[in-house]
Amino acid sequence: MRGMSVTITIPDDIADVLGASAEEREQRAREALALELYREGKISLRRMGELAGVGGDYWTAENFCVLHKAPLNYSLEDLDADRRAADVLRG
């Protein structure tokens, strides 16, 4: 993934909670950031999955949200759009 690097300083005891290795701590921080941006409605479910490192597949990203008790951002407008798409597919 091409992108920007961000460095933050946190207390050692918090870093230990995130993981034993630098890679594990980075992954946990990416997951937390991805979930929060998704909860705020700033990124899509698929983008959240990509940023969290679980992939951009809708179902995998949705499962990740469920595992982390993050509510799905699904509005009435989304429901209406899905219904219209289903109607078109049914003919």
Side-chain angles (χ1 to χ4, degrees):
M1 174 188 296
R2 189 174 158 245
M4 181 178 82
S5 178
V6 176
T7 302
I8 62 170
T9 303
I10 58 175
D12 290 339
D13 60 327
I14 300 295
D16 291 341
V17 170
L18 290 174
S21 68
E23 293 80 19
E24 193 176 357
R25 290 188 295 267
E26 179 182 350
Q27 179 59 35
R28 293 284 307 275
R30 288 172 63 91
E31 290 172 1
L33 177 61
L35 284 166
E36 186 57 29
L37 289 172
Y38 177 72
R39 282 183 181 116
E40 292 176 4
K42 296 186 179 195
I43 60 174
S44 70
L45 182 67
R46 286 188 173 93
R47 291 293 289 162
M48 183 280 304
E50 291 169 358
L51 180 57
V54 299
D57 173 77
Y58 179 89
W59 301 112
T60 304
E62 181 183 85
N63 187 52
F64 183 77
C65 279
V66 170
L67 289 173
H68 292 279
K69 297 178 175 62
L72 293 176
N73 293 333
Y74 193 78
S75 67
L76 290 175
E77 291 81 18
D78 294 330
L79 177 61
D80 288 340
D82 286 346
R83 285 181 175 161
R84 285 192 301 276
D87 289 342
V88 168
L89 292 172
R90 278 184 261 165

